Amino acid sequence: MLSVVTDDGSTRSGSLIDEIVREGARRMPVAALESEVNQYIAELAAESDEHGRRLVVRNGRHRTRTVVTGAGPVEVTAPRVNDRLVDEVTGERKRFSSKILAPWCRKSPKISEVLPLLYLHGLSSGDFVPALEQFLGSSAGLSPATVTRLTQQWQADHTAFMDRDLAEVDCVYVWADGIHLNVRLEEAKACVLVLIGVRADGSKELVALKDGYRESGESWADLMRDCARRGMRAPVLAVGDGALGFWKALAEVFPETREQRCWGHKTANVLDAMPKSAQPGAKKTVQDIYNAEDKQHAQAAITTFAQLYRVKFPKAVKKITDDQDQLLAFFDFPAEHWIHLRTTNPIESTFATVRLRTKVTRGAGSRAAALAMVFKLVESAQQRWRAVNAPHLVALVRAGARFERGQLVERPELSAA
Protein backbone atom coordinates (compact mmCIF):
# COMPACT_ATOMS: atom_id res chain seq x y z
CA MET A 1 0.00 0.00 0.00
CA LEU A 2 1.27 3.49 -0.85
CA SER A 3 2.24 5.84 1.96
CA VAL A 4 0.52 9.11 2.81
CA VAL A 5 1.99 12.06 0.95
CA THR A 6 3.10 15.02 3.04
CA ASP A 7 2.70 18.68 2.13
CA ASP A 8 6.09 18.81 0.43
CA GLY A 9 5.22 15.88 -1.85
CA SER A 10 7.35 13.29 -0.04
CA THR A 11 6.65 10.14 1.95
CA ARG A 12 8.28 8.63 5.00
CA SER A 13 10.50 6.45 2.82
CA GLY A 14 11.48 9.17 0.34
CA SER A 15 9.92 10.91 -2.66
CA LEU A 16 6.55 9.92 -4.06
CA ILE A 17 8.00 8.75 -7.38
CA ASP A 18 10.44 6.42 -5.55
CA GLU A 19 7.58 5.04 -3.48
CA ILE A 20 5.52 4.34 -6.61
CA VAL A 21 8.46 2.58 -8.27
CA ARG A 22 9.07 0.42 -5.19
CA GLU A 23 5.41 -0.47 -4.90
CA GLY A 24 5.38 -1.53 -8.56
CA ALA A 25 8.54 -3.54 -7.96
CA ARG A 26 6.82 -5.36 -5.09
CA ARG A 27 3.71 -6.22 -7.06
CA MET A 28 5.18 -7.23 -10.40
CA PRO A 29 7.42 -10.12 -9.17
CA VAL A 30 4.45 -11.60 -7.32
CA ALA A 31 2.30 -11.52 -10.46
CA ALA A 32 5.13 -12.95 -12.57
CA LEU A 33 5.80 -15.81 -10.14
CA GLU A 34 2.10 -16.64 -9.95
CA SER A 35 1.87 -16.73 -13.75
CA GLU A 36 4.98 -18.93 -14.00
CA VAL A 37 3.63 -21.48 -11.50
CA ASN A 38 0.16 -21.52 -13.07
CA GLN A 39 1.63 -22.19 -16.52
CA TYR A 40 3.87 -24.98 -15.17
CA ILE A 41 0.96 -26.69 -13.42
CA ALA A 42 -1.35 -26.30 -16.45
CA GLU A 43 1.21 -27.92 -18.77
CA LEU A 44 1.43 -30.98 -16.47
CA ALA A 45 -2.22 -31.17 -15.54
CA ALA A 46 -2.60 -34.51 -17.33
CA GLU A 47 0.14 -36.18 -15.25
CA SER A 48 -1.36 -38.36 -12.52
CA ASP A 49 -0.55 -41.41 -10.40
CA GLU A 50 -2.21 -44.83 -10.39
CA HIS A 51 -5.00 -43.45 -8.20
CA GLY A 52 -5.78 -40.66 -10.60
CA ARG A 53 -4.33 -37.94 -8.39
CA ARG A 54 -2.40 -35.14 -10.07
CA LEU A 55 1.36 -35.27 -9.63
CA VAL A 56 1.91 -31.51 -9.84
CA VAL A 57 -0.21 -29.23 -7.64
CA ARG A 58 0.18 -25.99 -5.67
CA ASN A 59 1.28 -26.33 -2.08
CA GLY A 60 0.97 -22.97 -0.34
CA ARG A 61 3.78 -20.43 -0.32
CA HIS A 62 7.44 -20.21 0.61
CA ARG A 63 8.65 -18.06 3.46
CA THR A 64 8.82 -14.36 2.60
CA ARG A 65 12.32 -13.13 1.76
CA THR A 66 13.85 -9.79 0.83
CA VAL A 67 15.50 -9.47 -2.58
CA VAL A 68 17.67 -6.43 -3.36
CA THR A 69 16.82 -5.04 -6.80
CA GLY A 70 17.64 -1.93 -8.76
CA ALA A 71 14.41 -0.42 -7.38
CA GLY A 72 15.38 -1.19 -3.82
CA PRO A 73 14.60 -4.11 -1.49
CA VAL A 74 11.49 -6.08 -2.42
CA GLU A 75 9.73 -8.58 -0.17
CA VAL A 76 8.77 -11.65 -2.19
CA THR A 77 6.56 -14.57 -1.17
CA ALA A 78 6.90 -17.15 -3.90
CA PRO A 79 4.24 -19.84 -4.46
CA ARG A 80 5.23 -23.40 -3.59
CA VAL A 81 4.73 -26.38 -5.93
CA ASN A 82 4.33 -30.00 -4.88
CA ASP A 83 6.05 -31.72 -7.80
CA ARG A 84 6.00 -35.53 -7.59
CA LEU A 85 7.14 -36.22 -11.15
CA VAL A 86 10.04 -38.70 -11.53
CA ASP A 87 12.68 -38.52 -14.24
CA GLU A 88 12.38 -41.71 -16.31
CA VAL A 89 16.10 -41.72 -17.16
CA THR A 90 17.69 -41.05 -13.77
CA GLY A 91 14.83 -42.22 -11.56
CA GLU A 92 15.19 -39.06 -9.47
CA ARG A 93 12.30 -36.91 -8.40
CA LYS A 94 11.87 -33.70 -10.35
CA ARG A 95 11.70 -30.35 -8.60
CA PHE A 96 10.05 -27.19 -9.85
CA SER A 97 12.59 -24.37 -10.03
CA SER A 98 11.55 -20.83 -10.87
CA LYS A 99 13.44 -19.18 -13.71
CA ILE A 100 12.43 -15.79 -12.36
CA LEU A 101 13.60 -16.21 -8.76
CA ALA A 102 16.15 -18.89 -7.95
CA PRO A 103 15.93 -20.50 -4.46
CA TRP A 104 19.27 -18.97 -3.40
CA CYS A 105 18.68 -15.50 -4.88
CA ARG A 106 18.93 -12.60 -2.44
CA LYS A 107 19.82 -9.87 -4.94
CA SER A 108 19.13 -9.39 -8.62
CA PRO A 109 21.85 -10.26 -11.17
CA LYS A 110 22.15 -6.56 -12.05
CA ILE A 111 23.08 -5.72 -8.45
CA SER A 112 25.65 -8.53 -8.53
CA GLU A 113 27.14 -6.96 -11.67
CA VAL A 114 27.15 -3.43 -10.26
CA LEU A 115 29.13 -4.26 -7.10
CA PRO A 116 32.30 -5.50 -8.82
CA LEU A 117 32.11 -2.68 -11.38
CA LEU A 118 31.94 -0.08 -8.61
CA TYR A 119 34.84 -1.76 -6.86
CA LEU A 120 36.94 -1.97 -10.00
CA HIS A 121 36.30 1.66 -10.93
CA GLY A 122 37.22 3.28 -7.65
CA LEU A 123 34.66 2.66 -4.88
CA SER A 124 36.28 0.93 -1.90
CA SER A 125 34.37 -2.13 -0.66
CA GLY A 126 33.96 -0.50 2.75
CA ASP A 127 32.05 2.36 1.09
CA PHE A 128 29.32 0.18 -0.43
CA VAL A 129 26.88 0.46 2.47
CA PRO A 130 26.98 4.27 2.98
CA ALA A 131 27.06 4.91 -0.77
CA LEU A 132 24.26 2.58 -1.85
CA GLU A 133 22.05 2.16 1.20
CA GLN A 134 20.18 5.41 0.59
CA PHE A 135 19.86 4.70 -3.13
CA LEU A 136 18.57 1.14 -2.78
CA GLY A 137 16.78 1.62 0.51
CA SER A 138 18.61 -1.27 2.19
CA SER A 139 22.13 -2.46 3.00
CA ALA A 140 21.28 -6.13 2.39
CA GLY A 141 23.82 -7.86 0.16
CA LEU A 142 26.21 -4.90 0.11
CA SER A 143 28.84 -6.04 2.61
CA PRO A 144 32.59 -6.01 1.80
CA ALA A 145 32.46 -9.80 2.03
CA THR A 146 30.51 -9.76 -1.24
CA VAL A 147 33.52 -8.38 -3.11
CA THR A 148 35.84 -10.73 -1.25
CA ARG A 149 33.90 -13.65 -2.70
CA LEU A 150 33.98 -12.04 -6.12
CA THR A 151 37.77 -11.66 -6.09
CA GLN A 152 38.07 -15.41 -5.65
CA GLN A 153 36.07 -15.85 -8.85
CA TRP A 154 38.25 -13.26 -10.60
CA GLN A 155 41.35 -15.23 -9.68
CA ALA A 156 39.83 -18.35 -11.23
CA ASP A 157 38.92 -16.34 -14.35
CA HIS A 158 42.50 -15.04 -14.67
CA THR A 159 43.94 -18.53 -14.29
CA ALA A 160 41.61 -19.86 -16.99
CA PHE A 161 42.52 -16.92 -19.24
CA MET A 162 46.25 -17.63 -18.94
CA ASP A 163 45.68 -21.34 -19.66
CA ARG A 164 43.44 -20.92 -22.72
CA ASP A 165 44.37 -22.20 -26.17
CA LEU A 166 45.89 -19.49 -28.39
CA ALA A 167 45.89 -21.46 -31.63
CA GLU A 168 42.86 -19.50 -32.87
CA VAL A 169 44.15 -16.14 -31.61
CA ASP A 170 46.10 -14.94 -34.67
CA CYS A 171 47.54 -11.58 -33.63
CA VAL A 172 49.15 -9.76 -36.54
CA TYR A 173 50.38 -6.87 -34.40
CA VAL A 174 51.15 -6.91 -30.66
CA TRP A 175 51.92 -4.20 -28.14
CA ALA A 176 54.06 -5.14 -25.16
CA ASP A 177 54.80 -3.22 -21.99
CA GLY A 178 55.68 -3.71 -18.36
CA ILE A 179 53.43 -1.69 -16.07
CA HIS A 180 54.48 -0.80 -12.53
CA LEU A 181 51.51 -0.50 -10.16
CA ASN A 182 50.89 0.17 -6.50
CA VAL A 183 49.78 -3.39 -5.80
CA ARG A 184 51.25 -6.21 -3.77
CA LEU A 185 53.16 -8.39 -6.19
CA GLU A 186 55.42 -9.89 -3.50
CA GLU A 187 58.58 -8.29 -4.93
CA ALA A 188 59.21 -4.55 -4.61
CA LYS A 189 60.45 -4.39 -8.20
CA ALA A 190 57.74 -6.57 -9.69
CA CYS A 191 55.55 -5.32 -12.52
CA VAL A 192 52.70 -6.52 -14.71
CA LEU A 193 53.74 -7.78 -18.16
CA VAL A 194 51.04 -7.08 -20.74
CA LEU A 195 50.51 -8.22 -24.33
CA ILE A 196 47.69 -6.71 -26.40
CA GLY A 197 47.21 -7.86 -29.98
CA VAL A 198 45.37 -6.97 -33.17
CA ARG A 199 43.61 -9.90 -34.82
CA ALA A 200 43.25 -10.37 -38.56
CA ASP A 201 39.82 -8.71 -38.46
CA GLY A 202 41.34 -5.55 -36.95
CA SER A 203 39.92 -5.99 -33.45
CA LYS A 204 42.12 -5.55 -30.39
CA GLU A 205 42.41 -8.26 -27.77
CA LEU A 206 44.22 -8.85 -24.50
CA VAL A 207 46.62 -11.72 -25.17
CA ALA A 208 48.44 -12.19 -21.87
CA LEU A 209 48.82 -10.56 -18.47
CA LYS A 210 51.32 -11.83 -15.92
CA ASP A 211 53.56 -10.51 -13.18
CA GLY A 212 57.30 -10.29 -13.83
CA TYR A 213 60.47 -8.99 -12.25
CA ARG A 214 61.87 -5.68 -13.56
CA GLU A 215 60.77 -6.49 -17.13
CA SER A 216 63.72 -8.87 -17.21
CA GLY A 217 64.52 -10.94 -20.28
CA GLU A 218 63.76 -14.14 -18.43
CA SER A 219 60.36 -12.89 -17.25
CA TRP A 220 59.41 -11.86 -20.78
CA ALA A 221 60.84 -15.06 -22.25
CA ASP A 222 58.79 -17.12 -19.81
CA LEU A 223 55.64 -15.32 -20.90
CA MET A 224 56.45 -15.55 -24.61
CA ARG A 225 57.35 -19.25 -24.38
CA ASP A 226 54.07 -19.92 -22.59
CA CYS A 227 52.15 -18.14 -25.37
CA ALA A 228 54.01 -20.17 -28.03
CA ARG A 229 53.36 -23.40 -26.14
CA ARG A 230 49.63 -22.65 -26.16
CA GLY A 231 49.67 -22.17 -29.92
CA MET A 232 50.28 -18.46 -30.45
CA ARG A 233 51.48 -17.65 -33.96
CA ALA A 234 54.40 -15.25 -34.45
CA PRO A 235 53.14 -11.65 -34.89
CA VAL A 236 54.24 -9.71 -37.95
CA LEU A 237 55.19 -6.65 -35.89
CA ALA A 238 55.73 -6.11 -32.15
CA VAL A 239 55.59 -2.64 -30.59
CA GLY A 240 57.31 -1.88 -27.29
CA ASP A 241 59.61 0.46 -25.44
CA GLY A 242 63.38 0.17 -25.28
CA ALA A 243 63.42 -2.45 -22.51
CA LEU A 244 66.01 -4.98 -23.64
CA GLY A 245 64.28 -7.83 -21.83
CA PHE A 246 61.30 -7.94 -24.18
CA TRP A 247 63.31 -7.70 -27.39
CA LYS A 248 65.70 -10.40 -26.22
CA ALA A 249 62.78 -12.70 -25.46
CA LEU A 250 61.06 -11.87 -28.77
CA ALA A 251 64.21 -12.72 -30.76
CA GLU A 252 64.42 -16.05 -28.94
CA VAL A 253 60.78 -17.16 -29.24
CA PHE A 254 59.54 -15.34 -32.38
CA PRO A 255 62.69 -14.38 -34.34
CA GLU A 256 60.72 -13.63 -37.53
CA THR A 257 58.70 -10.85 -35.86
CA ARG A 258 59.77 -7.31 -36.76
CA GLU A 259 60.48 -4.74 -34.05
CA GLN A 260 58.97 -1.28 -33.62
CA ARG A 261 60.14 0.98 -30.80
CA CYS A 262 57.54 3.13 -29.06
CA TRP A 263 57.96 6.79 -30.02
CA GLY A 264 56.29 7.91 -26.81
CA HIS A 265 58.93 6.25 -24.63
CA LYS A 266 61.71 7.22 -27.03
CA THR A 267 60.74 10.88 -27.02
CA ALA A 268 60.76 10.95 -23.22
CA ASN A 269 64.18 9.29 -23.13
CA VAL A 270 65.61 11.74 -25.66
CA LEU A 271 64.31 14.79 -23.80
CA ASP A 272 65.63 13.44 -20.49
CA ALA A 273 69.12 13.68 -21.99
CA MET A 274 68.69 17.40 -22.65
CA PRO A 275 68.32 20.48 -20.47
CA LYS A 276 64.79 21.83 -20.07
CA SER A 277 65.61 24.91 -22.12
CA ALA A 278 66.31 22.76 -25.20
CA GLN A 279 63.42 20.34 -24.79
CA PRO A 280 60.56 22.27 -26.50
CA GLY A 281 62.49 22.70 -29.74
CA ALA A 282 63.86 19.16 -29.65
CA LYS A 283 60.39 17.74 -29.07
CA LYS A 284 59.06 19.41 -32.21
CA THR A 285 62.01 18.09 -34.21
CA VAL A 286 61.38 14.55 -32.94
CA GLN A 287 57.71 14.86 -33.84
CA ASP A 288 58.72 15.76 -37.39
CA ILE A 289 60.35 12.33 -37.63
CA TYR A 290 57.42 10.07 -36.72
CA ASN A 291 54.84 12.37 -38.33
CA ALA A 292 56.69 12.37 -41.66
CA GLU A 293 54.74 11.47 -44.80
CA ASP A 294 56.90 8.40 -45.49
CA LYS A 295 60.11 6.64 -44.44
CA GLN A 296 62.35 8.69 -46.74
CA HIS A 297 61.14 11.96 -45.23
CA ALA A 298 61.49 10.46 -41.75
CA GLN A 299 65.11 9.52 -42.45
CA ALA A 300 65.75 13.08 -43.65
CA ALA A 301 64.18 14.39 -40.42
CA ILE A 302 66.54 12.19 -38.39
CA THR A 303 69.48 13.66 -40.30
CA THR A 304 68.21 17.16 -39.48
CA PHE A 305 67.82 16.27 -35.81
CA ALA A 306 71.38 14.90 -35.70
CA GLN A 307 72.78 18.02 -37.35
CA LEU A 308 71.03 20.31 -34.89
CA TYR A 309 71.87 18.49 -31.66
CA ARG A 310 74.86 16.20 -32.24
CA VAL A 311 77.48 18.66 -30.98
CA LYS A 312 75.80 19.68 -27.72
CA PHE A 313 73.73 16.60 -26.95
CA PRO A 314 75.37 13.54 -28.54
CA LYS A 315 73.72 11.09 -26.09
CA ALA A 316 70.26 12.33 -27.05
CA VAL A 317 71.02 11.99 -30.77
CA LYS A 318 72.50 8.54 -30.29
CA LYS A 319 69.24 7.32 -28.71
CA ILE A 320 67.54 7.85 -32.07
CA THR A 321 70.27 7.04 -34.57
CA ASP A 322 71.16 3.72 -32.87
CA ASP A 323 67.54 2.52 -33.13
CA GLN A 324 66.67 4.11 -36.46
CA ASP A 325 65.59 0.89 -38.21
CA GLN A 326 63.37 -0.17 -35.28
CA LEU A 327 61.90 3.34 -34.92
CA LEU A 328 60.89 3.57 -38.58
CA ALA A 329 59.60 0.02 -39.08
CA PHE A 330 55.95 1.14 -38.96
CA PHE A 331 56.39 3.01 -42.25
CA ASP A 332 56.48 -0.39 -44.03
CA PHE A 333 52.86 -1.05 -43.09
CA PRO A 334 49.53 0.50 -44.19
CA ALA A 335 49.41 4.26 -43.63
CA GLU A 336 46.09 3.85 -41.86
CA HIS A 337 47.86 1.76 -39.19
CA TRP A 338 50.78 4.11 -38.54
CA ILE A 339 49.00 6.00 -35.77
CA HIS A 340 48.44 2.70 -33.94
CA LEU A 341 51.87 1.18 -34.49
CA ARG A 342 54.27 3.94 -33.51
CA THR A 343 53.43 3.93 -29.78
CA THR A 344 52.23 1.62 -27.01
CA ASN A 345 49.32 3.96 -26.24
CA PRO A 346 46.74 1.12 -26.32
CA ILE A 347 48.39 -0.26 -23.18
CA GLU A 348 49.18 3.08 -21.53
CA SER A 349 45.64 4.44 -21.92
CA THR A 350 44.10 1.23 -20.61
CA PHE A 351 46.30 1.16 -17.53
CA ALA A 352 45.43 4.73 -16.59
CA THR A 353 42.20 3.25 -15.21
CA VAL A 354 44.09 0.44 -13.50
CA ARG A 355 46.35 2.92 -11.71
CA LEU A 356 43.31 4.84 -10.49
CA ARG A 357 41.82 1.66 -9.02
CA THR A 358 45.04 0.53 -7.33
CA LYS A 359 45.49 3.93 -5.67
CA VAL A 360 42.07 3.56 -4.08
CA THR A 361 42.67 0.05 -2.74
CA ARG A 362 46.12 0.84 -1.29
CA GLY A 363 47.22 -2.70 -2.07
CA ALA A 364 45.11 -5.64 -3.18
CA GLY A 365 45.96 -8.03 -0.35
CA SER A 366 47.91 -10.65 -2.26
CA ARG A 367 49.71 -11.25 -5.53
CA ALA A 368 46.91 -13.42 -6.92
CA ALA A 369 44.21 -10.94 -5.88
CA ALA A 370 46.19 -8.03 -7.35
CA LEU A 371 46.64 -9.75 -10.71
CA ALA A 372 43.00 -10.81 -10.74
CA MET A 373 41.87 -7.25 -10.12
CA VAL A 374 44.14 -5.88 -12.85
CA PHE A 375 42.92 -8.58 -15.25
CA LYS A 376 39.27 -7.75 -14.57
CA LEU A 377 39.92 -4.05 -15.10
CA VAL A 378 41.57 -4.68 -18.46
CA GLU A 379 38.85 -7.16 -19.41
CA SER A 380 36.24 -4.51 -18.65
CA ALA A 381 38.14 -1.88 -20.66
CA GLN A 382 38.50 -4.30 -23.58
CA GLN A 383 34.80 -4.00 -24.29
CA ARG A 384 35.36 -0.36 -25.28
CA TRP A 385 38.41 -0.90 -27.49
CA ARG A 386 37.79 0.05 -31.08
CA ALA A 387 39.29 -1.72 -34.05
CA VAL A 388 42.30 -0.26 -35.84
CA ASN A 389 41.74 2.02 -38.80
CA ALA A 390 41.16 0.19 -42.12
CA PRO A 391 40.75 -3.20 -40.39
CA HIS A 392 40.47 -5.00 -43.74
CA LEU A 393 44.16 -4.32 -44.37
CA VAL A 394 45.30 -6.32 -41.34
CA ALA A 395 44.59 -9.61 -43.09
CA LEU A 396 46.70 -8.45 -46.06
CA VAL A 397 49.60 -7.74 -43.71
CA ARG A 398 49.34 -11.28 -42.35
CA ALA A 399 49.23 -12.61 -45.92
CA GLY A 400 52.58 -10.93 -46.65
CA ALA A 401 51.37 -8.05 -48.80
CA ARG A 402 53.93 -5.30 -49.42
CA PHE A 403 53.30 -1.64 -48.69
CA GLU A 404 55.32 1.33 -49.94
CA ARG A 405 54.77 4.81 -48.54
CA GLY A 406 51.79 3.31 -46.72
CA GLN A 407 50.07 2.10 -49.90
CA LEU A 408 49.50 -1.48 -51.03
CA VAL A 409 51.84 -2.57 -53.81
CA GLU A 410 50.26 -5.03 -56.19
CA ARG A 411 52.15 -8.19 -56.97
CA PRO A 412 53.94 -8.17 -60.34
CA GLU A 413 51.79 -11.01 -61.68
CA LEU A 414 48.61 -9.15 -60.75
CA SER A 415 49.86 -5.95 -62.38
CA ALA A 416 50.71 -7.82 -65.59
CA ALA A 417 47.30 -9.38 -65.69
Side-chain angles (χ1 to χ4, degrees):
M1 183 179 295
L2 296 179
S3 303
V4 177
V5 182
T6 60
D7 292 337
D8 62 358
S10 63
T11 66
R12 291 182 179 179
S13 59
S15 68
L16 178 59
I17 184 65
D18 289 334
E19 182 67 17
I20 293 173
V21 170
R22 291 193 180 103
E23 180 62 22
R26 281 190 285 268
R27 294 179 180 179
M28 292 181 67
V30 173
L33 291 168
E34 287 284 350
S35 176
E36 182 185 34
V37 167
N38 290 338
Q39 181 179 355
Y40 181 79
I41 293 176
E43 291 175 352
L44 300 173
E47 300 290 339
S48 59
D49 60 16
E50 63 273 14
H51 302 293
R53 291 178 294 208
R54 294 171 61 177
L55 294 176
V56 182
V57 295
R58 294 180 64 107
N59 186 24
R61 294 182 176 276
H62 289 283
R63 182 180 300 177
T64 300
R65 56 177 151 148
T66 300
V67 180
V68 180
T69 71
V74 176
E75 290 190 351
V76 178
T77 305
R80 190 197 303 269
V81 176
N82 184 5
D83 190 345
R84 294 185 293 136
L85 287 174
V86 176
D87 192 306
E88 296 180 355
V89 178
T90 63
E92 296 180 356
R93 181 176 172 179
K94 292 184 178 181
R95 300 283 184 181
F96 168 75
S97 180
S98 174
K99 295 181 180 179
I100 298 174
L101 185 67
W104 44 264
C105 183
R106 292 296 181 274
K107 56 181 175 291
S108 74
K110 282 298 180 184
I111 295 297
S112 297
E113 293 174 7
V114 165
L115 295 183
L117 285 175
L118 291 176
Y119 178 69
L120 288 172
H121 290 285
L123 187 66
S124 178
S125 58
D127 296 331
F128 282 161
V129 173
L132 298 181
E133 184 174 9
Q134 291 298 318
F135 179 72
L136 296 177
S138 171
S139 61
L142 303 179
S143 67
T146 303
V147 172
T148 301
R149 291 191 296 270
L150 287 169
T151 56
Q152 296 175 353
Q153 179 59 50
W154 296 344
Q155 292 176 36
D157 292 345
H158 178 241
T159 300
F161 174 80
M162 291 302 294
D163 289 338
R164 78 195 192 286
D165 184 14
L166 295 179
E168 301 299 324
V169 183
D170 182 15
C171 290
V172 180
Y173 305 131
V174 294
W175 294 280
D177 205 354
I179 306 297
H180 296 266
L181 301 169
N182 183 30
V183 294
R184 300 173 186 174
L185 294 177
E186 296 180 355
E187 296 287 347
K189 297 179 180 179
C191 64
V192 179
L193 306 180
V194 186
L195 281 180
I196 293 177
V198 177
R199 304 186 68 153
D201 62 358
S203 61
K204 299 173 186 173
E205 178 178 322
L206 177 65
V207 179
L209 187 150
K210 184 180 180 182
D211 60 327
Y213 180 74
R214 271 191 170 184
E215 298 188 64
S216 67
E218 189 53 40
S219 294
W220 274 114
D222 182 61
L223 177 60
M224 302 295 284
R225 291 191 205 103
D226 181 63
C227 291
R229 175 186 60 81
R230 291 184 284 129
M232 180 177 174
R233 187 177 177 185
V236 176
L237 180 72
V239 186
D241 62 15
L244 296 178
F246 172 69
W247 302 115
K248 180 180 178 182
L250 184 72
E252 174 189 332
V253 182
F254 298 124
E256 61 270 43
T257 300
R258 294 190 61 183
E259 302 177 8
Q260 169 63 48
R261 296 290 192 272
C262 170
W263 273 102
H265 288 85
K266 180 61 70 174
T267 301
N269 292 337
V270 169
L271 298 182
D272 284 344
M274 294 180 166
K276 289 187 177 180
S277 59
Q279 289 181 5
K283 184 176 181 180
K284 292 181 180 179
T285 309
V286 170
Q287 290 174 339
D288 289 340
I289 301 173
Y290 61 78
N291 286 328
E293 60 181 280
D294 54 37
K295 180 180 283 190
Q296 288 72 28
H297 285 84
Q299 291 168 337
I302 290 178
T303 301
T304 300
F305 177 80
Q307 291 173 347
L308 291 173
Y309 297 103
R310 180 183 290 117
V311 175
K312 289 187 176 181
F313 313 113
K315 291 183 179 180
V317 172
K318 191 175 177 62
K319 291 179 182 293
I320 289 183
T321 55
D322 284 358
D323 293 334
Q324 179 169 325
D325 291 341
Q326 292 81 4
L327 286 169
L328 304 183
F330 73 93
F331 281 110
D332 295 332
F333 294 87
E336 293 87 347
H337 299 171
W338 291 355
I339 191 172
H340 304 289
L341 301 180
R342 60 194 181 203
T343 71
T344 55
N345 276 347
I347 294 180
E348 293 293 335
S349 59
T350 296
F351 272 82
T353 303
V354 178
R355 288 191 174 94
L356 172 65
R357 173 61 255 170
T358 54
K359 287 180 181 178
V360 174
T361 58
R362 299 186 181 93
S366 70
R367 165 184 167 275
L371 283 174
M373 185 179 69
V374 171
F375 166 68
K376 278 298 176 180
L377 273 169
V378 178
E379 186 181 56
S380 176
Q382 182 175 262
Q383 300 174 8
R384 301 186 298 274
W385 292 347
R386 66 179 185 87
V388 298
N389 297 335
H392 63 283
L393 296 177
V394 180
L396 294 178
V397 172
R398 169 57 80 188
R402 189 163 60 91
F403 293 82
E404 289 183 1
R405 305 188 67 179
Q407 302 298 316
L408 176 66
V409 177
E410 294 186 3
R411 299 175 185 174
E413 60 270 21
L414 293 179
S415 300

